[in-house]
Amino acid sequence: MTDPVVARIQANPKYRELKSKRNSFGWMLAILMLVVYYGYIALIAFNKPFLAQPLGSGVTTLGIPLGMGVIVFTIVITGIYVRRANSEFDALTKQILEEEVK
């Protein structure tokens, strides 16, 4: 009971290429995010004195900019994924649809 258009799209080599590229890129970014996030959490759990070092003569410690860095890293990798999705992945999707949906 599969739609013939869906079957043609799934059989298209460009569709397989799109799935492969998108999945590998997504997993790579997810692993990077997990390393950064859990690395920060591991620092909190196992090396509090390192994060408690004051920056300059103020009350701000090293943990604050590192925590903000985790947030900024998340925003940056989201932007990287969106940029690639809007260019490469969307272009491949458009090509597949033009070929298979007639």
Side-chain angles (χ1 to χ4, degrees):
M1 185 138 171
T2 303
D3 186 1
V5 174
V6 172
R8 284 198 320 262
I9 289 172
Q10 289 176 340
N12 190 315
K14 287 183 182 177
Y15 175 73
R16 285 189 230 114
E17 175 189 354
L18 171 65
K19 276 182 54 176
S20 173
K21 284 183 177 182
R22 190 183 58 209
N23 287 341
S24 64
F25 189 61
W27 277 110
M28 181 189 67
L29 292 180
I31 289 168
L32 280 173
M33 186 64 233
L34 288 171
V35 167
V36 168
Y37 178 75
Y38 283 109
Y40 183 67
I41 297 301
L43 276 175
I44 291 170
F46 300 114
N47 201 352
K48 287 182 182 127
F50 174 74
L51 292 175
Q53 295 176 39
L55 294 176
S57 61
V59 294
T60 303
T61 63
L62 189 58
I64 298 298
L66 284 177
M68 292 177 76
V70 171
I71 294 168
V72 169
F73 180 77
T74 304
I75 294 167
V76 167
I77 66 169
T78 300
I80 291 169
Y81 182 84
V82 168
R83 183 179 177 135
R84 187 163 178 193
N86 287 341
S87 60
E88 182 181 348
F89 300 156
D90 284 354
L92 264 174
T93 301
K94 185 177 179 183
Q95 290 173 10
I96 293 165
L97 290 174
E98 287 173 352
E99 290 175 11
E100 302 300 337
V101 181
K102 297 175 186 174

